[in-house]
Amino acid sequence: MATSTHKDSKKTLYSLYHAVVIIALVFLLFMHVFKSDKIAYVDSAKLLNEFKGSQKAKKAFDEKAKVWQNNIDTLTAGIQESIKKYEKELATLSVKEQNLTKQIIANQQKELADYQQAIQQNAQEENGKLTQDVISQINAFLLKYGKAHNYKMILIANQSGTIAYAREGLDITSEVIEELNKEPGNSK
């Protein structure tokens, strides 16, 4: 009987060993399958500040803005010079010449104001275009990076909570809207 108990004990130990190995393999397989479900975020302010493409775009914009400001300064100096000349010669000018000079100065001031407005609008458009180009670059990179590193989702940490990359099927916006619209008072 001692041999039978020893055999049963050996079988039980062998079965227990197999069960532990199977559980360990299932656990490792489980960990391998779910380790690829990575979610991460990026700090958008830090990303924009430290991305070299962003710094390059800012430098290019600043150079253009400097040229625009120099043009405004030159036009302003010209107007100030015309005003000084007018004030200096006022006593010697006829009424007709005074009115003509005033009209010329007023036209110069209007041209300056129009130019400043055009430059401001152009600067906003240029800044928007450069910013959009940088954001497009970053988003394209995040998409490629997310796929290459098997991220399930990459979030952008900012006030609006924008998502930079997410696998298909994770966007539940349609379902949320459908359910939200079923709520009382939201049917219209």
PDB file of all heavy atoms in Angstrom, residues 13-35:
ATOM      1  N   LEU A  13       1.315  15.124  -7.449  1.00  0.00           N
ATOM      2  CA  LEU A  13       2.361  16.125  -7.609  1.00  0.00           C
ATOM      3  C   LEU A  13       2.569  16.451  -9.080  1.00  0.00           C
ATOM      4  O   LEU A  13       2.710  17.612  -9.454  1.00  0.00           O
ATOM      5  CB  LEU A  13       3.661  15.613  -6.977  1.00  0.00           C
ATOM      6  CG  LEU A  13       4.769  16.641  -6.801  1.00  0.00           C
ATOM      7  CD1 LEU A  13       4.303  17.822  -5.963  1.00  0.00           C
ATOM      8  CD2 LEU A  13       5.971  15.999  -6.171  1.00  0.00           C
ATOM      9  N   TYR A  14       2.538  15.431  -9.937  1.00  0.00           N
ATOM     10  CA  TYR A  14       2.702  15.593 -11.379  1.00  0.00           C
ATOM     11  C   TYR A  14       1.530  16.403 -11.933  1.00  0.00           C
ATOM     12  O   TYR A  14       1.725  17.335 -12.721  1.00  0.00           O
ATOM     13  CB  TYR A  14       2.797  14.210 -12.046  1.00  0.00           C
ATOM     14  CG  TYR A  14       3.122  14.246 -13.513  1.00  0.00           C
ATOM     15  CD1 TYR A  14       4.384  14.658 -13.946  1.00  0.00           C
ATOM     16  CD2 TYR A  14       2.178  13.883 -14.461  1.00  0.00           C
ATOM     17  CE1 TYR A  14       4.682  14.704 -15.291  1.00  0.00           C
ATOM     18  CE2 TYR A  14       2.467  13.929 -15.802  1.00  0.00           C
ATOM     19  CZ  TYR A  14       3.721  14.338 -16.222  1.00  0.00           C
ATOM     20  OH  TYR A  14       4.018  14.377 -17.558  1.00  0.00           O
ATOM     21  N   SER A  15       0.297  16.083 -11.516  1.00  0.00           N
ATOM     22  CA  SER A  15      -0.896  16.815 -11.951  1.00  0.00           C
ATOM     23  C   SER A  15      -0.853  18.260 -11.462  1.00  0.00           C
ATOM     24  O   SER A  15      -1.201  19.193 -12.197  1.00  0.00           O
ATOM     25  CB  SER A  15      -2.166  16.151 -11.429  1.00  0.00           C
ATOM     26  OG  SER A  15      -2.313  14.891 -11.994  1.00  0.00           O
ATOM     27  N   LEU A  16      -0.437  18.449 -10.240  1.00  0.00           N
ATOM     28  CA  LEU A  16      -0.312  19.789  -9.691  1.00  0.00           C
ATOM     29  C   LEU A  16       0.738  20.589 -10.464  1.00  0.00           C
ATOM     30  O   LEU A  16       0.530  21.765 -10.774  1.00  0.00           O
ATOM     31  CB  LEU A  16       0.055  19.711  -8.200  1.00  0.00           C
ATOM     32  CG  LEU A  16       0.047  21.009  -7.426  1.00  0.00           C
ATOM     33  CD1 LEU A  16      -1.317  21.666  -7.445  1.00  0.00           C
ATOM     34  CD2 LEU A  16       0.488  20.770  -5.996  1.00  0.00           C
ATOM     35  N   TYR A  17       1.833  19.952 -10.812  1.00  0.00           N
ATOM     36  CA  TYR A  17       2.892  20.591 -11.590  1.00  0.00           C
ATOM     37  C   TYR A  17       2.341  21.034 -12.941  1.00  0.00           C
ATOM     38  O   TYR A  17       2.577  22.163 -13.375  1.00  0.00           O
ATOM     39  CB  TYR A  17       4.080  19.631 -11.743  1.00  0.00           C
ATOM     40  CG  TYR A  17       5.157  20.163 -12.656  1.00  0.00           C
ATOM     41  CD1 TYR A  17       6.007  21.179 -12.218  1.00  0.00           C
ATOM     42  CD2 TYR A  17       5.327  19.658 -13.935  1.00  0.00           C
ATOM     43  CE1 TYR A  17       6.999  21.676 -13.049  1.00  0.00           C
ATOM     44  CE2 TYR A  17       6.309  20.142 -14.768  1.00  0.00           C
ATOM     45  CZ  TYR A  17       7.144  21.159 -14.332  1.00  0.00           C
ATOM     46  OH  TYR A  17       8.119  21.634 -15.158  1.00  0.00           O
ATOM     47  N   HIS A  18       1.606  20.156 -13.637  1.00  0.00           N
ATOM     48  CA  HIS A  18       1.001  20.488 -14.938  1.00  0.00           C
ATOM     49  C   HIS A  18       0.008  21.651 -14.793  1.00  0.00           C
ATOM     50  O   HIS A  18      -0.034  22.549 -15.636  1.00  0.00           O
ATOM     51  CB  HIS A  18       0.309  19.278 -15.533  1.00  0.00           C
ATOM     52  CG  HIS A  18       1.229  18.336 -16.243  1.00  0.00           C
ATOM     53  ND1 HIS A  18       2.571  18.541 -16.386  1.00  0.00           N
ATOM     54  CD2 HIS A  18       0.974  17.163 -16.882  1.00  0.00           C
ATOM     55  CE1 HIS A  18       3.126  17.555 -17.058  1.00  0.00           C
ATOM     56  NE2 HIS A  18       2.159  16.674 -17.369  1.00  0.00           N
ATOM     57  N   ALA A  19      -0.779  21.621 -13.719  1.00  0.00           N
ATOM     58  CA  ALA A  19      -1.767  22.679 -13.498  1.00  0.00           C
ATOM     59  C   ALA A  19      -1.064  24.030 -13.295  1.00  0.00           C
ATOM     60  O   ALA A  19      -1.491  25.046 -13.847  1.00  0.00           O
ATOM     61  CB  ALA A  19      -2.639  22.351 -12.298  1.00  0.00           C
ATOM     62  N   VAL A  20       0.021  24.022 -12.521  1.00  0.00           N
ATOM     63  CA  VAL A  20       0.778  25.260 -12.296  1.00  0.00           C
ATOM     64  C   VAL A  20       1.388  25.748 -13.602  1.00  0.00           C
ATOM     65  O   VAL A  20       1.340  26.948 -13.920  1.00  0.00           O
ATOM     66  CB  VAL A  20       1.854  25.059 -11.210  1.00  0.00           C
ATOM     67  CG1 VAL A  20       2.820  26.226 -11.156  1.00  0.00           C
ATOM     68  CG2 VAL A  20       1.214  24.844  -9.854  1.00  0.00           C
ATOM     69  N   VAL A  21       1.938  24.850 -14.404  1.00  0.00           N
ATOM     70  CA  VAL A  21       2.534  25.221 -15.691  1.00  0.00           C
ATOM     71  C   VAL A  21       1.461  25.791 -16.618  1.00  0.00           C
ATOM     72  O   VAL A  21       1.666  26.827 -17.263  1.00  0.00           O
ATOM     73  CB  VAL A  21       3.263  24.021 -16.339  1.00  0.00           C
ATOM     74  CG1 VAL A  21       3.634  24.309 -17.776  1.00  0.00           C
ATOM     75  CG2 VAL A  21       4.500  23.664 -15.533  1.00  0.00           C
ATOM     76  N   ILE A  22       0.300  25.139 -16.673  1.00  0.00           N
ATOM     77  CA  ILE A  22      -0.786  25.615 -17.535  1.00  0.00           C
ATOM     78  C   ILE A  22      -1.270  26.982 -17.059  1.00  0.00           C
ATOM     79  O   ILE A  22      -1.465  27.897 -17.869  1.00  0.00           O
ATOM     80  CB  ILE A  22      -1.941  24.591 -17.590  1.00  0.00           C
ATOM     81  CG1 ILE A  22      -1.481  23.353 -18.372  1.00  0.00           C
ATOM     82  CG2 ILE A  22      -3.184  25.200 -18.210  1.00  0.00           C
ATOM     83  CD1 ILE A  22      -2.450  22.195 -18.325  1.00  0.00           C
ATOM     84  N   ILE A  23      -1.448  27.158 -15.772  1.00  0.00           N
ATOM     85  CA  ILE A  23      -1.871  28.451 -15.229  1.00  0.00           C
ATOM     86  C   ILE A  23      -0.831  29.523 -15.539  1.00  0.00           C
ATOM     87  O   ILE A  23      -1.181  30.631 -15.944  1.00  0.00           O
ATOM     88  CB  ILE A  23      -2.142  28.349 -13.713  1.00  0.00           C
ATOM     89  CG1 ILE A  23      -3.400  27.507 -13.475  1.00  0.00           C
ATOM     90  CG2 ILE A  23      -2.290  29.731 -13.088  1.00  0.00           C
ATOM     91  CD1 ILE A  23      -3.647  27.171 -12.023  1.00  0.00           C
ATOM     92  N   ALA A  24       0.439  29.175 -15.402  1.00  0.00           N
ATOM     93  CA  ALA A  24       1.512  30.136 -15.696  1.00  0.00           C
ATOM     94  C   ALA A  24       1.501  30.511 -17.175  1.00  0.00           C
ATOM     95  O   ALA A  24       1.646  31.692 -17.522  1.00  0.00           O
ATOM     96  CB  ALA A  24       2.866  29.558 -15.297  1.00  0.00           C
ATOM     97  N   LEU A  25       1.303  29.530 -18.054  1.00  0.00           N
ATOM     98  CA  LEU A  25       1.251  29.818 -19.495  1.00  0.00           C
ATOM     99  C   LEU A  25       0.043  30.681 -19.845  1.00  0.00           C
ATOM    100  O   LEU A  25       0.154  31.625 -20.625  1.00  0.00           O
ATOM    101  CB  LEU A  25       1.234  28.519 -20.303  1.00  0.00           C
ATOM    102  CG  LEU A  25       2.546  27.749 -20.346  1.00  0.00           C
ATOM    103  CD1 LEU A  25       2.356  26.411 -21.051  1.00  0.00           C
ATOM    104  CD2 LEU A  25       3.619  28.565 -21.039  1.00  0.00           C
ATOM    105  N   VAL A  26      -1.101  30.379 -19.252  1.00  0.00           N
ATOM    106  CA  VAL A  26      -2.300  31.180 -19.488  1.00  0.00           C
ATOM    107  C   VAL A  26      -2.068  32.610 -18.981  1.00  0.00           C
ATOM    108  O   VAL A  26      -2.414  33.582 -19.663  1.00  0.00           O
ATOM    109  CB  VAL A  26      -3.539  30.545 -18.827  1.00  0.00           C
ATOM    110  CG1 VAL A  26      -4.721  31.494 -18.812  1.00  0.00           C
ATOM    111  CG2 VAL A  26      -3.909  29.249 -19.530  1.00  0.00           C
ATOM    112  N   PHE A  27      -1.453  32.736 -17.830  1.00  0.00           N
ATOM    113  CA  PHE A  27      -1.161  34.058 -17.285  1.00  0.00           C
ATOM    114  C   PHE A  27      -0.218  34.831 -18.202  1.00  0.00           C
ATOM    115  O   PHE A  27      -0.451  36.008 -18.487  1.00  0.00           O
ATOM    116  CB  PHE A  27      -0.561  33.928 -15.879  1.00  0.00           C
ATOM    117  CG  PHE A  27      -0.171  35.245 -15.270  1.00  0.00           C
ATOM    118  CD1 PHE A  27      -1.149  36.102 -14.777  1.00  0.00           C
ATOM    119  CD2 PHE A  27       1.154  35.637 -15.213  1.00  0.00           C
ATOM    120  CE1 PHE A  27      -0.801  37.330 -14.225  1.00  0.00           C
ATOM    121  CE2 PHE A  27       1.510  36.856 -14.665  1.00  0.00           C
ATOM    122  CZ  PHE A  27       0.536  37.704 -14.163  1.00  0.00           C
ATOM    123  N   LEU A  28       0.841  34.173 -18.655  1.00  0.00           N
ATOM    124  CA  LEU A  28       1.784  34.836 -19.558  1.00  0.00           C
ATOM    125  C   LEU A  28       1.117  35.224 -20.872  1.00  0.00           C
ATOM    126  O   LEU A  28       1.363  36.309 -21.401  1.00  0.00           O
ATOM    127  CB  LEU A  28       3.002  33.942 -19.812  1.00  0.00           C
ATOM    128  CG  LEU A  28       3.943  33.762 -18.629  1.00  0.00           C
ATOM    129  CD1 LEU A  28       5.032  32.733 -18.957  1.00  0.00           C
ATOM    130  CD2 LEU A  28       4.576  35.092 -18.240  1.00  0.00           C
ATOM    131  N   LEU A  29       0.279  34.337 -21.399  1.00  0.00           N
ATOM    132  CA  LEU A  29      -0.453  34.654 -22.622  1.00  0.00           C
ATOM    133  C   LEU A  29      -1.388  35.837 -22.383  1.00  0.00           C
ATOM    134  O   LEU A  29      -1.452  36.772 -23.190  1.00  0.00           O
ATOM    135  CB  LEU A  29      -1.244  33.431 -23.098  1.00  0.00           C
ATOM    136  CG  LEU A  29      -2.038  33.619 -24.384  1.00  0.00           C
ATOM    137  CD1 LEU A  29      -1.105  33.909 -25.545  1.00  0.00           C
ATOM    138  CD2 LEU A  29      -2.863  32.374 -24.677  1.00  0.00           C
ATOM    139  N   PHE A  30      -2.089  35.829 -21.270  1.00  0.00           N
ATOM    140  CA  PHE A  30      -2.988  36.925 -20.899  1.00  0.00           C
ATOM    141  C   PHE A  30      -2.207  38.243 -20.811  1.00  0.00           C
ATOM    142  O   PHE A  30      -2.636  39.260 -21.343  1.00  0.00           O
ATOM    143  CB  PHE A  30      -3.657  36.593 -19.561  1.00  0.00           C
ATOM    144  CG  PHE A  30      -4.580  37.663 -19.063  1.00  0.00           C
ATOM    145  CD1 PHE A  30      -5.875  37.760 -19.561  1.00  0.00           C
ATOM    146  CD2 PHE A  30      -4.162  38.559 -18.097  1.00  0.00           C
ATOM    147  CE1 PHE A  30      -6.739  38.742 -19.099  1.00  0.00           C
ATOM    148  CE2 PHE A  30      -5.016  39.542 -17.631  1.00  0.00           C
ATOM    149  CZ  PHE A  30      -6.312  39.635 -18.132  1.00  0.00           C
ATOM    150  N   MET A  31      -1.066  38.204 -20.139  1.00  0.00           N
ATOM    151  CA  MET A  31      -0.243  39.407 -19.993  1.00  0.00           C
ATOM    152  C   MET A  31       0.271  39.877 -21.348  1.00  0.00           C
ATOM    153  O   MET A  31       0.325  41.074 -21.606  1.00  0.00           O
ATOM    154  CB  MET A  31       0.932  39.151 -19.038  1.00  0.00           C
ATOM    155  CG  MET A  31       0.509  38.954 -17.596  1.00  0.00           C
ATOM    156  SD  MET A  31      -0.423  40.342 -16.931  1.00  0.00           S
ATOM    157  CE  MET A  31       0.841  41.577 -16.862  1.00  0.00           C
ATOM    158  N   HIS A  32       0.639  38.956 -22.229  1.00  0.00           N
ATOM    159  CA  HIS A  32       1.131  39.335 -23.554  1.00  0.00           C
ATOM    160  C   HIS A  32       0.027  39.985 -24.374  1.00  0.00           C
ATOM    161  O   HIS A  32       0.256  40.995 -25.030  1.00  0.00           O
ATOM    162  CB  HIS A  32       1.692  38.113 -24.301  1.00  0.00           C
ATOM    163  CG  HIS A  32       2.128  38.446 -25.692  1.00  0.00           C
ATOM    164  ND1 HIS A  32       3.233  39.217 -25.940  1.00  0.00           N
ATOM    165  CD2 HIS A  32       1.577  38.153 -26.896  1.00  0.00           C
ATOM    166  CE1 HIS A  32       3.363  39.373 -27.239  1.00  0.00           C
ATOM    167  NE2 HIS A  32       2.375  38.731 -27.844  1.00  0.00           N
ATOM    168  N   VAL A  33      -1.167  39.433 -24.336  1.00  0.00           N
ATOM    169  CA  VAL A  33      -2.280  39.974 -25.112  1.00  0.00           C
ATOM    170  C   VAL A  33      -2.654  41.362 -24.605  1.00  0.00           C
ATOM    171  O   VAL A  33      -2.868  42.285 -25.377  1.00  0.00           O
ATOM    172  CB  VAL A  33      -3.502  39.024 -25.054  1.00  0.00           C
ATOM    173  CG1 VAL A  33      -4.752  39.687 -25.590  1.00  0.00           C
ATOM    174  CG2 VAL A  33      -3.205  37.748 -25.827  1.00  0.00           C
ATOM    175  N   PHE A  34      -2.718  41.548 -23.290  1.00  0.00           N
ATOM    176  CA  PHE A  34      -3.187  42.807 -22.748  1.00  0.00           C
ATOM    177  C   PHE A  34      -2.094  43.844 -22.534  1.00  0.00           C
ATOM    178  O   PHE A  34      -2.387  44.993 -22.298  1.00  0.00           O
ATOM    179  CB  PHE A  34      -3.977  42.584 -21.459  1.00  0.00           C
ATOM    180  CG  PHE A  34      -5.323  41.987 -21.737  1.00  0.00           C
ATOM    181  CD1 PHE A  34      -5.557  40.647 -21.503  1.00  0.00           C
ATOM    182  CD2 PHE A  34      -6.326  42.749 -22.281  1.00  0.00           C
ATOM    183  CE1 PHE A  34      -6.788  40.084 -21.779  1.00  0.00           C
ATOM    184  CE2 PHE A  34      -7.563  42.204 -22.559  1.00  0.00           C
ATOM    185  CZ  PHE A  34      -7.791  40.865 -22.317  1.00  0.00           C
ATOM    186  N   LYS A  35      -0.842  43.441 -22.651  1.00  0.00           N
ATOM    187  CA  LYS A  35       0.215  44.443 -22.496  1.00  0.00           C
ATOM    188  C   LYS A  35       0.260  45.362 -23.698  1.00  0.00           C
ATOM    189  O   LYS A  35       0.782  46.461 -23.632  1.00  0.00           O
ATOM    190  CB  LYS A  35       1.571  43.797 -22.247  1.00  0.00           C
ATOM    191  CG  LYS A  35       2.329  43.408 -23.488  1.00  0.00           C
ATOM    192  CD  LYS A  35       3.731  42.976 -23.189  1.00  0.00           C
ATOM    193  CE  LYS A  35       4.436  42.786 -24.514  1.00  0.00           C
ATOM    194  NZ  LYS A  35       5.701  42.226 -24.435  1.00  0.00           N
TER     195      LYS A  35
END
